[in-house]
Amino acid sequence: MKQLKLSMAVITAVAIFLLPSCKPKNAGSAVNADAASKAYVPPGKYDEFYNFVSGGFSGQMSVYGLPSGRLLRVIPVFSVDPEKGYGYSEESKPMLNTSHGFVPWDDLHHTEMSQTNGEIDGRWIFGNANNTPRVARIDLSTFRTAEIIELPNSAGNHSSPFITENTEYVVAGTRFSVPPDNANGDVPINTYKQNFKGYLSFISVGKEDGKMDIAFQIQCPGINFDLSHAGKGKSNGWFFFSCYNTEQANTLLEVNASQRDKDFILAVNWKKAEEYLKAGKGKKVPVKYAHNTYNEKTHTATSEIKTEVTVLDSKELTDLCYFIPCPKSPHGCDVDPTGEYIVGSGKLAALIPVFSFDKIQKAIADKAFAGDYDGIPVIKYEAALHGEVQKPGLGPLHTEFDGKGNAYTTFFVSSELVKWNIKDLKVLDRAPTYYSVGHLCIPGGDSKKPNAKYVIAYNKITKDRYLPTGPELAQSAQLYDISGDKMQLILDFPTIGEPHYAQAVAADVIKNKSVKFYKIDENANEFVSKGEGTTKVTRNGNRVDVYMTCIRSHFAPDNIEGVRAGDEVYFHVTNLEQDWDVPHGFAIKGANNAELLIMPGETQTLKWVAEKPGMFPFYCTDFCSALHQEMQGYIRISPAGSNVPLSFSTGKNLPASDSTTPAATPAAK
């Protein structure tokens, strides 16, 4: 314990020393004169890469162009988004359903793109919900969240969502071990070692449609699972997780879970798991979790609550999982493009351990174990080790690869990127970041085929890089050219929320697949109006349904009467446009949720409660034409019990009447 306190004190002292002085003397001129030309994308030209960046506590995913750093889109995933009506429209609300009910926010840390034969294929990108454990699939033809699946037996979903090389599985490890869902959770917290378990979820992905399902879970000891990556090439069929809190502490983890010199990398043989499933070794366990999908034909999400999952027990199936010691409080766990080398990054380590897949297999065959941990064999450190990168920097976190035999690792405490050779473990270059870098991204850097043109650093602290905006500053991404022997900083750009992991891919892999509009004839929404002649307003009790269309530059109908205070009004708005990039918006005075944003050919629904009598205008919120300001309408709300008949009209100025007489005839057209 004395040694721990001493090492922690040293690290803290170094960090305190570095932080005030972390701005290099040459920071003002750190960017060379040719940097602007390397990052410049002329007006009207496309960027070379898409960069998909997690939004952290925003619960969203943002899309940037590289090398320009231009923000292209913010994709709502686990958080409501009033700009797009996500989580507010009746069609999208089911996407945020969970076994706990409607959850309008989460913490999206990691992104992972689908792969075929270990190469990014541009079909889907996955994101994790860290707080209420879920995994989302975003369709890259629409840049919309297509599916969200909740993870039972989990609490915290940080070790997620990482994929196998043919996207057979998206894998997620629990961050916080807890009692299983079907066990009594009302137990003393200090019974952690007896009652808490950690679960790994293997989510199958449909080869053609991407549809997700929890294929199986593996029950593991009650520890914390952190970052993970799948094997590839020779190590395909294996998955590797960093683990911490092997001390199984349940309080003051910053000290109590940092006592051991080594925690673990967990190696999981998922091909063996498939064999055990076929042999009937899995146990059906009652649970409760939500599975939400968005249908692009109906433009509507549905939510299903599922009640069972299949579990394999790592303690009973002793050749399924293996621990490998890894110093110290490991965070990152990364696999090089060949699949031979597994890099562990210990947050408190002063070196980087690199493990060999071949040596791991030999150690398993030779039973070169140093005992077991809660029934899981522990491979001897030296038996699995390829070697250690000595004195690389302070606070190693994450590693990506350039496909040329080099690795790039981030160092949080010393605020730098370090380039090193995988085979001889020699440091080749280092570049300062501004400041306290967390994740990094090389296009395809966790695949078999990286693109060694850029590396992007995602920094936790901005300090003096941008104009001040009060006590909270925009967090930053920094783009480095790595096409030569030395890294060159060429661009800073601010990010949405807090960036964690990110993925980048050549634009050509995605852009030509992009959906431009929805064909109105194929719109299968229950409330669609495929032309102005089909619009109507109906009543069923106190529910009023408005079947409405919009087109440049009017709504139909645009005058509605006979609605009474207390009615629930559902505006089903169909955008009749059949042209790229002509969305329309819909908003009404007094709405307490959000606007709608309706894509060409799409139908979306806004629920609005008419709370009091009066005249309420509605209008288009998305500038669509020179007559956008004229795109408006009125709904008249009469007192509860009023005998004003339900009526609607479009393009018809009706004769003036007294205030007690309806201003339109029923169903006027």
Side-chain angles (χ1 to χ4, degrees):
M1 189 66 182
K2 289 181 179 179
Q3 183 180 4
L4 166 69
K5 290 181 178 179
L6 180 59
S7 63
M8 292 290 287
V10 170
I11 290 171
T12 303
V14 171
I16 292 171
F17 172 77
L18 282 172
L19 284 175
S21 59
C22 61
K23 182 178 179 180
K25 293 180 181 179
N26 65 341
S29 59
V31 179
N32 294 341
D34 65 340
S37 63
K38 290 186 175 183
Y40 180 67
V41 177
K45 297 295 183 181
Y46 288 157
D47 277 283
E48 187 179 357
F49 295 92
Y50 286 102
N51 185 205
F52 297 89
V53 183
S54 69
F57 47 69
S58 76
Q60 300 169 333
M61 189 183 298
S62 50
V63 187
Y64 299 85
L66 295 178
S68 72
R70 296 183 294 206
L71 177 64
L72 304 177
R73 182 169 176 79
V74 176
I75 304 171
V77 184
F78 297 113
S79 295
V80 295
D81 183 356
E83 177 195 354
K84 303 172 186 68
Y86 182 80
Y88 293 101
S89 71
E90 294 304 297
E91 285 83 0
S92 63
K93 283 179 181 178
M95 293 301 289
L96 298 177
N97 188 44
T98 74
S99 63
H100 307 277
F102 182 82
V103 176
W105 167 88
D106 217 299
D107 190 16
L108 195 164
H109 279 217
H110 304 125
T111 62
E112 185 84 355
M113 298 184 76
S114 58
Q115 296 182 11
T116 300
N117 297 323
E119 297 182 26
I120 294 174
D121 58 30
R123 293 185 295 167
W124 311 300
I125 187 165
F126 301 89
N128 69 321
N130 191 22
N131 182 48
T132 302
R134 287 166 287 169
V135 167
R137 176 176 59 88
I138 293 92
D139 187 332
L140 291 179
S141 68
T142 61
F143 283 63
R144 283 181 163 182
T145 303
E147 190 174 12
I148 294 177
I149 194 164
E150 189 179 3
L151 303 179
N153 295 318
S154 300
N157 176 36
H158 193 252
S159 180
S160 166
F162 298 99
I163 64 165
T164 53
E165 69 173 33
N166 280 294
T167 320
E168 299 97 336
Y169 297 105
V170 174
V171 183
T174 189
R175 176 179 178 178
F176 311 110
S177 288
V178 291
D181 287 2
N182 66 326
N184 177 21
D186 182 20
V187 296
I189 296 174
N190 63 8
T191 64
Y192 185 110
K193 293 183 179 181
Q194 292 76 38
N195 292 313
F196 290 45
K197 299 295 180 184
Y199 280 77
L200 310 177
S201 299
F202 282 73
I203 304 164
S204 62
V205 180
K207 190 172 183 179
E208 299 300 327
D209 60 9
K211 186 175 176 60
M212 298 190 296
D213 193 16
I214 298 178
F216 61 93
Q217 293 186 314
I218 301 176
Q219 180 180 291
C220 294
I223 55 179
N224 295 52
F225 293 94
D226 213 340
L227 275 295
S228 58
H229 271 98
K232 54 179 74 78
K234 64 167 58 181
S235 56
N236 182 33
W238 288 76
F239 225 98
F240 303 94
F241 297 81
S242 62
C243 313
Y244 66 103
N245 193 25
T246 55
E247 297 85 351
Q248 296 187 309
N250 59 266
T251 184
L252 205 63
L253 261 63
E254 62 187 305
V255 174
N256 291 326
S258 302
Q259 296 182 37
R260 298 187 176 188
D261 288 333
K262 292 183 176 69
D263 287 285
F264 295 128
I265 298 291
L266 177 67
V268 178
N269 186 340
W270 61 262
K271 290 284 190 182
K272 178 65 69 174
E274 290 182 330
E275 293 177 11
Y276 280 130
L277 288 172
K278 289 179 181 178
K281 298 294 185 181
K283 299 175 183 177
K284 301 292 186 182
V285 175
V287 291
K288 185 179 179 182
Y289 65 98
H291 186 193
N292 311 327
T293 55
Y294 191 83
N295 186 314
E296 288 292 345
K297 294 293 185 182
T298 64
H299 313 298
T300 302
T302 56
S303 179
E304 176 187 6
I305 296 296
K306 296 192 171 184
T307 58
E308 188 177 74
V309 70
T310 302
V311 176
L312 299 171
D313 191 334
S314 63
K315 194 170 184 177
E316 295 176 0
L317 308 172
T318 56
D319 58 351
L320 183 60
C321 297
Y322 300 89
F323 280 127
I324 306 165
C326 182
K328 181 174 192 310
S329 295
H331 184 53
C333 182
D334 302 282
V335 182
D336 89 304
T338 71
E340 167 62 12
Y341 301 106
I342 299 98
V343 180
S345 296
K347 301 187 296 291
L348 303 181
L351 51 80
I352 302 174
V354 182
F355 302 101
S356 160
F357 180 73
D358 286 344
K359 288 188 173 182
I360 292 170
Q361 296 307 298
K362 187 176 187 304
I364 292 171
D366 296 344
K367 298 189 182 302
F369 302 140
D372 71 87
Y373 181 92
D374 201 9
I376 295 179
V378 178
I379 297 172
K380 292 180 179 177
Y381 179 68
E382 293 76 10
L385 188 69
H386 164 62
E388 298 172 339
V389 183
Q390 297 293 327
K391 299 181 179 179
L394 293 174
L397 292 184
H398 304 284
T399 300
E400 292 263 293
F401 307 92
D402 64 7
K404 298 179 178 179
N406 302 313
Y408 297 72
T409 300
T410 56
F411 290 83
F412 179 80
V413 177
S414 52
S415 293
E416 59 184 334
L417 289 173
V418 175
K419 175 182 177 181
W420 50 277
N421 183 270
I422 300 170
K423 288 189 177 179
D424 66 19
L425 307 177
K426 301 295 185 184
V427 171
L428 303 175
D429 188 27
R430 57 181 72 240
T433 62
Y434 306 92
Y435 307 91
S436 299
V437 62
H439 283 270
L440 78 165
C441 167
I442 291 173
D446 72 337
S447 72
K448 280 183 173 180
K449 194 175 181 180
N451 186 313
K453 189 164 188 178
Y454 301 116
V455 62
I456 310 100
Y458 303 95
N459 303 320
K460 300 301 184 186
I461 298 172
T462 308
K463 289 185 179 289
D464 52 9
R465 302 304 285 185
Y466 308 123
L467 286 170
T469 53
E472 184 180 15
L473 302 177
Q475 296 189 3
S476 76
Q478 295 189 298
L479 181 68
Y480 295 78
D481 182 342
I482 59 170
S483 58
D485 292 335
K486 299 294 182 181
M487 293 177 279
Q488 180 193 9
L489 176 62
I490 61 174
L491 183 70
D492 280 34
F493 58 95
T495 60
I496 299 293
E498 181 192 1
H500 290 263
Y501 195 37
Q503 297 261 281
V505 67
D508 289 342
V509 176
I510 294 175
K511 66 182 178 66
N512 294 328
K513 304 175 185 177
S514 185
V515 170
K516 293 181 169 59
F517 58 87
Y518 299 98
K519 294 180 180 179
I520 191 69
D521 291 339
E522 296 178 0
N523 184 328
N525 188 287
E526 178 184 359
F527 301 103
V528 64
S529 298
K530 294 189 178 181
E532 291 187 15
T534 64
T535 59
K536 59 185 176 180
V537 181
T538 64
R539 174 184 290 281
N540 183 7
N542 73 332
R543 173 175 170 141
V544 175
D545 288 276
V546 179
Y547 296 74
M548 178 180 284
T549 62
C550 57
I551 196 168
R552 287 166 287 184
S553 297
H554 66 275
F555 292 102
D558 62 5
N559 281 242
I560 303 167
E561 304 194 35
V563 179
R564 300 188 285 262
D567 283 346
E568 293 183 346
V569 184
Y570 291 82
F571 292 95
H572 312 292
V573 187
T574 301
N575 183 347
L576 296 180
E577 306 284 357
Q578 292 289 268
D579 193 7
W580 192 17
D581 195 28
V582 190
H584 287 293
F586 178 84
I588 184 168
K589 180 181 178 181
N592 59 9
N593 42 22
E595 64 173 341
L596 294 179
L597 192 60
I598 313 111
M599 296 300 110
E602 184 181 47
T603 301
Q604 290 288 290
T605 300
L606 181 72
K607 178 183 177 181
W608 178 72
V609 178
E611 294 184 343
K612 60 183 179 180
M615 190 65 64
F616 294 85
F618 51 83
Y619 69 103
C620 176
T621 58
D622 193 311
F623 204 101
C624 54
S625 72
L627 296 176
H628 168 73
Q629 285 294 102
E630 285 74 16
M631 192 168 176
Q632 66 170 59
Y634 295 98
I635 183 169
R636 172 187 172 188
I637 307 302
S638 300
S642 168
N643 62 0
V644 175
L646 191 64
S647 64
F648 61 97
S649 64
T650 306
K652 187 173 182 180
N653 284 317
L654 298 175
S657 60
D658 63 58
S659 60
T660 62
T661 305
T665 57
K669 286 286 188 177

